[in-house]
Amino acid sequence: MSATGQGTDRGGVGATDREGGRRFAPDLRPQAANFAALTPLAFLPRAAAVHPDRIAVIHGDLRRSYRELDARCRRLASALAARGIGAGDAVSAMLPNVPAMVEAHYGVPMAGAVLNAINTRLDARTIAYILDHAGAKVLLTDREYAAQVGPALEMAAHRPLVVDVEDALYDGDGPRLGRPESGDLDYEALLAEGDPAFPWMPPADETGAIALNYTSGTTGNPKGVVYHHRGTYLESVGNIMGWPLPPAPVYLWTLPMFHCNGWCFPWSVTAMAGTHVCLRRVDPARIFPLIADHGVTHMCGAPTVLSMLVSAPAGQRRAFPQVVDIQTGGSPPPANVIRAMEELGFRVTHIYGMTELQGPSTFCEPQDAWAALPLEQRAGLLARQGVAYPSVAGQMVADPQSMAPVAPDGTEMGEIMVRGNTVMLGYYKDPAATAEAFRGGWMHTGDLAVQHPDGYVEIKDRAKDIIISGGENISSVEIEIALYRHPAVQLAAAVARPHPRWGESPCAFVQLKPGAEVSEAEIIAHCRANLAGYKVPRWVVFGAMPTTATGKIQKFVLREQARALPVPEAGG
């Protein structure tokens, strides 16, 4: 598996200077004794060697040590390799935050293959597209998603080897999807085929692919974002440096591991020989007991996670003595949420990133003086996206055409641009999109922001009208494509509408064809049949569409109209 990227001239010891001479000795070059490919996979063998008996994974009553985790990951790698899965092959995973998902982050790339973690909220058609586009050879899947994965396997042009992951904490009745007559099997049977001492090797090329994640494109089709070993290693280290992540953290998995590979925390937590506390689904009734019983120190999640925690009834809450650090991305947390979280025992850090940046790239690093400020003022500072991660080589807010940085006055807007090792390798099978994203030698995020005099960045608008609902990016164009499939729709647009629980939710504006009649419920039902559930508009507004003289829909007008609508109930 490869993607279009840009090479760099590393120069280094022995490079030629301007006069044609040599800097230092020409025979000093990287060799076996002083160079090793960077890969986050190396964190696991070290943790297993140094802390073999430390608990690595907790899931319900299950406890696994680092010795056991290392052996299981090697078994997975060995079993895959024995079945011919290796370099350039994609292994897809449709899993919740269960131990098998932690193991997949090591075992799959240890075999030389590429991990393709799929968003569990996607519809069957999109899952089928991803399986085909990635060329998945194997699919690890949980029974909870059978209703989506089953039809997807029927739609896919090529059926991968299906491996059913049986989880003791799954309480549903979804069917197994594996077909024994086709060679499919369950996860534990696959591991039983493997060697616990499998002698995996670091990649020959540290810029080789380690993971493939899909993000919504403006055409409605997801784009494959390729991560490389070097980038994920440095992103993992950036997590440790920037938060910071101390030795032996206890990390609760409220952030989906399918999302940017869990912001690379499957590797960061292991690097510090921490404990992964797994959680199938986000539920305050489970989160508070897990924090109290296991001494959780760190967690990540969308703003909706914060809202769920502060809104949890008293009967679900549990007191705990430690301060729990929580990172959140998406809509900035308002002052009342920050106050409520602090009262519950949490310390909130606001981050910014995107799939193409392998997770967090910018974080609101607190200044010492902020602690003494009134909450409202402090919350305003903490709500900014902040400064670059320690592992990010470069970040600027600049004019996307001239590439000239904006004035750091908190007023002039430009596009956030990033460069360095933590930027994706490129879009899989899409060199044109890769070239456009890397135009001018920077990764163009498409997000418009200002830079304040203190250097902190604050997003002001999203150039591509992305709707961020519950921490998930939703393409407005994808919604509009679905709306236009309805025979009664003449013009359609989708914009973000503020929502007290989800931060934002999609709001559809529809202009019907002359003489056509259709209800809001019918439009929503139509969208539900064509989109993943979280992308379905919650409201539909009918009427003439505001357009320019050339017929372009004026979305800024629609956004204002959406904001002027009555505030919905938090549960709506």
Side-chain angles (χ1 to χ4, degrees):
M1 179 173 292
S2 62
T4 301
Q6 293 186 346
T8 57
D9 180 9
R10 296 184 180 179
V13 175
T16 303
D17 64 20
R18 292 179 181 177
E19 286 72 37
R22 290 281 182 176
R23 310 188 201 116
F24 309 116
D27 57 339
L28 294 182
R29 307 296 297 173
Q31 52 187 296
N34 61 14
F35 176 82
L38 298 181
T39 174
L41 304 182
F43 298 145
L44 177 57
R46 181 188 183 278
V50 178
H51 302 286
D53 299 318
R54 181 175 290 173
I55 297 300
V57 176
I58 294 175
H59 187 49
D61 295 331
L62 175 70
R63 305 289 186 276
R64 287 201 177 111
S65 69
Y66 266 103
R67 180 188 290 108
E68 294 170 314
L69 177 61
D70 181 61
R72 288 177 63 85
C73 292
R74 290 175 187 265
R75 281 186 181 275
L76 176 57
S78 174
L80 292 172
R83 287 174 172 265
I85 307 300
D89 293 329
V91 175
S92 297
M94 187 79 169
L95 299 172
N97 289 344
V98 293
M101 190 60 142
V102 178
E103 293 164 5
H105 277 78
Y106 290 92
V108 171
M110 278 179 168
V114 179
L115 177 62
N116 167 223
I118 300 176
N119 186 335
T120 58
R121 301 174 186 173
L122 294 177
D123 58 281
R125 182 172 53 186
T126 305
I127 294 168
Y129 172 85
I130 289 172
L131 293 175
D132 285 337
H133 189 265
K137 297 292 184 66
V138 180
L139 171 64
L140 310 177
T141 184
D142 187 280
R143 291 167 58 194
E144 181 174 347
Y145 313 117
Q148 305 141 263
V149 176
L153 289 171
E154 296 301 321
M155 296 178 195
H158 302 284
R159 180 185 173 91
L161 174 72
V162 176
V163 178
D164 285 300
V165 177
E166 294 287 343
D167 179 25
L169 297 189
Y170 174 58
D171 56 3
D173 56 1
R176 290 168 53 94
L177 296 175
R179 299 173 179 171
E181 66 274 13
S182 302
D184 298 339
L185 71 171
D186 67 62
Y187 183 70
E188 293 302 324
L190 177 66
L191 263 60
E193 299 176 356
D195 179 3
F198 178 70
W200 76 276
M201 297 293 291
D205 180 4
E206 63 182 8
T207 63
I210 188 173
L212 173 64
N213 294 291
Y214 281 80
T215 183
S216 295
T218 56
T219 62
N221 280 332
K223 290 187 287 188
V225 177
V226 182
Y227 292 0
H228 53 311
H229 286 260
R230 179 181 178 86
T232 49
Y233 176 97
L234 291 168
E235 177 70 15
S236 302
V237 171
N239 287 335
I240 297 166
M241 296 169 64
W243 205 349
L245 202 63
V250 180
Y251 185 93
L252 177 60
W253 275 106
T254 46
L255 174 75
M257 278 187 248
F258 67 68
H259 184 46
C260 306
N261 294 108
W263 296 354
C264 290
F265 278 100
W267 298 305
S268 298
V269 173
T270 300
M272 303 308 291
T275 300
H276 299 267
V277 181
C278 294
L279 182 64
R280 283 192 66 93
R281 64 180 59 87
V282 176
D283 180 0
R286 291 282 298 134
I287 290 174
F288 281 104
L290 289 173
I291 291 174
D293 294 344
H294 302 304
V296 168
T297 60
H298 292 76
M299 55 192 287
C300 298
T304 53
V305 176
L306 276 62
S307 298
M308 291 171 68
L309 293 174
V310 300
S311 302
Q316 292 184 354
R317 298 181 182 181
R318 287 272 300 277
F320 43 87
Q322 76 277 19
V323 173
V324 179
D325 279 290
I326 182 169
Q327 281 192 4
T328 187
S331 302
N336 62 327
V337 171
I338 292 177
R339 177 192 292 111
M341 287 294 289
E342 290 180 352
E343 291 172 350
L344 288 173
F346 296 89
R347 180 165 49 217
V348 179
T349 299
H350 188 213
I351 62 93
Y352 162 78
M354 58 192 305
T355 304
E356 290 87 342
L357 300 177
Q358 306 188 44
S361 178
T362 303
F363 72 122
C364 196
E365 183 170 1
Q367 297 292 323
D368 295 340
W370 294 358
L373 296 175
L375 177 62
E376 292 293 336
Q377 186 177 353
R378 181 160 54 89
L381 294 170
L382 291 173
R384 299 181 300 174
Q385 281 61 42
V387 294
Y389 245 38
S391 54
V392 170
Q395 174 183 284
M396 69 174 179
V397 180
D399 182 288
Q401 301 306 318
S402 69
M403 305 297 289
V406 302
D409 57 8
T411 301
E412 184 181 357
M413 284 205 301
E415 183 180 9
I416 298 179
M417 302 181 195
V418 181
R419 71 193 319 177
N421 297 288
T422 55
V423 174
M424 66 171 179
L425 194 61
Y427 292 116
Y428 188 44
K429 298 179 183 177
D430 198 341
T434 301
E436 176 61 23
F438 292 166
R439 182 168 40 85
W442 290 80
M443 170 69 209
H444 290 250
T445 68
D447 288 316
L448 302 181
V450 299
Q451 185 164 3
H452 291 275
D454 60 2
Y456 282 59
V457 166
E458 182 179 4
I459 292 177
K460 291 296 185 181
D461 196 8
R462 297 173 180 87
K464 295 181 180 180
D465 299 311
I466 291 294
I467 301 166
I468 302 180
S469 182
E472 293 288 340
N473 288 354
I474 302 173
S475 168
S476 62
V477 175
E478 185 176 1
I479 298 174
E480 289 157 10
I481 290 172
L483 289 167
Y484 276 113
R485 290 195 183 113
H486 195 286
V489 173
Q490 183 176 51
L491 292 175
V495 299
R497 178 184 176 188
H499 192 283
R501 180 179 181 187
W502 303 112
E504 296 175 348
S505 280
C507 179
F509 286 82
V510 171
Q511 181 176 313
L512 298 177
K513 295 177 181 178
E517 292 184 4
V518 64
S519 68
E520 179 182 37
E522 289 173 316
I523 290 291
I524 291 175
H526 166 79
C527 290
R528 187 170 289 113
N530 288 274
L531 296 167
Y534 71 99
K535 298 180 181 179
V536 175
R538 292 174 177 268
W539 312 275
V540 180
V541 180
F542 295 96
M545 199 73 68
T547 60
T548 66
T550 59
K552 184 177 180 181
I553 296 174
Q554 297 175 308
K555 279 197 170 183
F556 71 95
V557 175
L558 299 181
R559 279 193 288 268
E560 290 301 319
Q561 292 180 14
R563 293 191 188 102
L565 294 172
V567 177
E569 296 293 332

